[in-house]
Amino acid sequence: MASDIGFAPRLIVADPVRASAFYRDVLGAEEVFRAPPGDDGRPTMIDHRIGDSSFRLSPAVSAWGWLSPGDLGGSAVLLEIEVDDPDAIGERMLARGAETVVPIENRPYGKRSGRIRDPFGHLWIITGELR
């Protein structure tokens, strides 16, 4: 049954176009679809792919209950991405406006990882092999 199910998280952000550029630059995400703009001029959804995974971006619309981390006072979800070089990804994110929550370091559980808050308020665990 599970093989028939698709799963794609949708990140709610104030500016999906800016967020899309950020994720393409720092994660190498490929934009695979952009829905037409809504009444406010923002695309209602931008679909991305990274490897075999996908995620979507949509604008915050309070009338629909679509709230960004800034609207909520923080992110309720941790997004985890495993990469070849967590330090390089972390540095790219920081150079483009993200902030360190937990430094990327070798951890006692056998991974090199840390936590970054992106400029849109979403929390990312960046993880990879020990160095």
Side-chain angles (χ1 to χ4, degrees):
M1 181 168 128
S3 64
D4 297 331
I5 298 172
F7 181 78
R10 188 176 295 215
L11 307 181
I12 305 300
V13 296
D15 186 343
V17 172
R18 190 171 140 244
S20 178
F22 176 84
Y23 298 126
R24 288 190 324 264
D25 288 346
V26 302
L27 300 176
E30 175 190 2
E31 184 178 310
V32 294
F33 176 76
R34 184 180 290 219
D39 294 339
D40 63 4
R42 299 177 297 174
T44 55
M45 190 270 292
I46 304 175
D47 196 6
H48 296 82
R49 180 160 301 285
I50 301 175
D52 292 335
S53 301
S54 65
F55 70 97
R56 296 176 176 134
L57 299 171
S58 285
V61 181
S62 60
W64 297 351
W66 291 10
L67 305 175
S68 71
D71 298 328
L72 297 170
S75 179
V77 174
L78 286 170
L79 302 158
E80 186 167 349
I81 185 167
E82 188 153 345
V83 297
D84 290 334
D85 188 347
D87 295 279
I89 297 292
E91 289 168 13
R92 283 202 305 265
M93 291 179 95
L94 296 173
R96 290 168 179 79
E99 65 180 275
T100 299
V101 176
V102 175
I104 296 172
E105 299 174 343
N106 288 341
R107 302 292 171 186
Y109 48 82
K111 291 288 188 177
R112 183 165 184 79
S113 67
R115 199 167 342 141
I116 305 281
R117 179 178 292 109
D118 72 26
F120 315 99
H122 292 284
L123 292 171
W124 293 81
I125 297 173
I126 312 298
T127 190
E129 297 303 315
L130 295 172
R131 278 198 331 185

